Amino acid sequence: MTLLYFAWVREKVGTGSETIDLPDDVRDVAGLIRWLSARDEGYAAAFEKPELIRVAVDQDHAPHDTPVAGAREIAFFPPVTGG
């Protein structure tokens, strides 16, 4: 599975993308965020307030309870503000 990180999420995790194998116990986006948060300080900082993180699963916006089984790509990004 490919994970993509945008804007300040990318800055905090230190990469724009990575390919990972998910543990069997990660079943949805919320579980993925929890698992990522435990990886290191950068991920913990990026996902400190998961309610702020927007997600796209295979390029479709998705809520955090969306299953991740079979997904090829998950993107994480902060909310967009206009100005």
Side-chain angles (χ1 to χ4, degrees):
M1 169 184 300
T2 300
L3 302 181
L4 304 174
Y5 307 102
F6 294 94
W8 56 256
V9 178
R10 177 185 62 233
E11 292 171 12
K12 290 180 181 185
V13 301
T15 188
S17 67
E18 63 182 320
T19 301
I20 63 163
D21 292 320
L22 286 180
D24 292 336
D25 62 337
V26 174
R27 302 192 192 300
D28 59 15
V29 170
L32 175 57
I33 289 173
R34 283 190 300 276
W35 179 75
L36 289 169
S37 294
R39 291 177 82 187
D40 71 30
E41 293 175 1
Y43 289 92
F47 296 107
E48 180 179 29
K49 295 183 180 178
E51 69 277 5
L52 297 179
I53 302 296
R54 303 295 179 247
V55 180
V57 176
D58 291 332
Q59 300 184 1
D60 289 322
H61 289 275
H64 288 199
D65 62 353
T66 301
V68 294
R72 294 176 53 191
E73 175 186 276
I74 298 180
F76 298 97
F77 46 95
V80 177
T81 59

